[in-house]
Amino acid sequence: MFPRDFAWGAATSAYQIEGGWQSDGKGPSIWDTFCHEKGRVFGDQNGDVACNSYELWEKDLECIQQLGLTHYRLSFSWARLLPDGTTQHVNQKGVQYYNKVIDDLLTSNVSPMVTLYHFDLPQALQDQGGWKSPGIASLFDNYAQFCFQTFGDRVKLWITINEPQVCAKLGHEDGIHAPGLKEKGTAAYLVGHNMLRAHAMAWHSYNSRYRSEQKGAVSIALNSDWYEPLNQGCPEDFAATERDLAFTLGWFAWPVFVTGDYPEIMRSAIDAQSKKLGYNAASRLPSFSKDESAILGTADFFALNYYTSRKVKPGGGCEKMLCMKGDKDTEEVLDSSWPISGLSWLAVVPDGLRKLLKYIKDTFNNPAIYITENGFSQVGPLQIEDAQRCVYYKDTISEVAKAIQEDGINVRGYFAWSLMDNFEWADGFSVRFGLFHVDFSDLSRTLYQSGREYAKIISKSRSGQSK
């Protein structure tokens, strides 16, 4: 079923698991600030301690070994390594921590995949304008180069930025993620633009300075649902579906993999809405400068985070004011036949992943693909025997196998979200995605049934029973 060198992984991120929010010289991040404001997060919870992986890394390593993973995706806390966000001051305790994590993984025959930025900008940089400021791109490039130089002898798979679409929209349009801004119809496009600029600068730095010696690969992790028309024969629904794909996946994948610029369908929709509402300034979707690092070709593989699917029709309101919703003009609905995992937005649609993989193959020049996140949430009473999640992983991984075997898609690896229950952003600890349950009263880790099943799938695949 799977190639012998297929990467079997699980994923986490620094803010969601590490804790130690001000330990050993770490600087504050925008998520520290956001969570410490009342009313931002479920139950006013925060990641001050979370799974305490900063102190309990050995326990995490035991979990990784128990599953038989070949790969582990983690993120570095920018503010733990560089407390004010710049290389003027390096926190050696942070360097020591990540050195130990990487070395322990390699000793256990587990390859690290490292994300440089997973939502947690140093607060010092937010105070200077954050991702809205053009200068952020070179600050990120400096940070990335520091990491390539310090850890790149051992880390061969890098992700620059995780889910720029989520950072831009949820953090700067909807205000439900840090830094909590609601600058509708403008800030998100600017943030997305600066994230692409930052990513491209870091990729070019790796390519010209580190690749020949370190021989690693660098990409950017893009999230997307699978979208299909509510009514297959309806041209308006088809057009709305195209817009949804453009505003979610295409926003970042088109510049990196296809043209070096945004999808035309996205720009024309934004500009038409501006005109309609009498906004006569320059396009709200910025343009790339010819004087800057080229965006096209700045990914060595396609990193995809997939969770769910949607049916699409035109609509969605927000007619009278500038906002992304009005620009996109789509309404997303759930098919009544799709089961719902704990969260209302997370419909279970395993074959949506196969369809999305096929779309990526056909649209973005048949890239090598790593599925860098995919998972199933549990809310309410704890179920260690999580039968639904077991079925989810079995069905989803089966669809990935079909994508490889029947559709000829070059899928190189699969990372479950997440290794363990953790701080799930605005939902706090109310939502559980782990293969291991974490009891946040004593921080013990307990294997879910789905973790046992995932370990079996990995073991079977690696023993060659499935090719």
Side-chain angles (χ1 to χ4, degrees), residues 373-390:
E373 285 182 29
N374 173 249
F376 181 100
S377 66
Q378 187 184 101
V379 297
L382 173 66
Q383 292 174 288
I384 291 291
E385 302 302 317
D386 52 346
Q388 258 190 308
R389 192 190 274 144
C390 292

Side-chain angles (χ1 to χ4, degrees), residues 344-401:
S344 59
W345 61 268
L346 218 169
V348 177
V349 196
D351 68 336
L353 175 55
R354 182 181 176 187
K355 291 173 184 173
L356 183 57
L357 290 168
K358 179 86 167 68
Y359 173 84
I360 290 168
K361 178 191 176 188
D362 295 344
T363 310
F364 303 115
N365 304 317
N366 191 18
I369 303 170
Y370 285 87
I371 298 158
T372 38
E373 285 182 29
N374 173 249
F376 181 100
S377 66
Q378 187 184 101
V379 297
L382 173 66
Q383 292 174 288
I384 291 291
E385 302 302 317
D386 52 346
Q388 258 190 308
R389 192 190 274 144
C390 292
V391 171
Y392 175 86
Y393 276 122
K394 191 166 157 292
D395 289 352
T396 303
I397 290 167
S398 159
E399 293 294 330
V400 176

Side-chain angles (χ1 to χ4, degrees), residues 200-222:
M201 283 176 82
W203 185 91
H204 282 288
S205 292
Y206 189 84
N207 197 44
S208 60
R209 297 182 180 191
Y210 304 96
R211 186 188 300 278
S212 61
E213 194 178 323
Q214 296 183 358
K215 300 183 170 49
V218 180
S219 188
I220 179 170
L222 305 181

Side-chain angles (χ1 to χ4, degrees), residues 165 224 227 239-255 262-267 328 359 364:
Q165 188 261 351
S224 187
Y227 301 102
T241 304
E242 294 283 288
R243 284 196 303 280
D244 239 339
L245 277 163
F247 273 81
T248 308
L249 189 60
W251 183 0
F252 300 95
W254 212 260
Y262 297 113
E264 186 45 48
I265 185 176
M266 183 181 183
R267 187 176 293 283
K328 196 167 60 151
Y359 173 84
F364 303 115

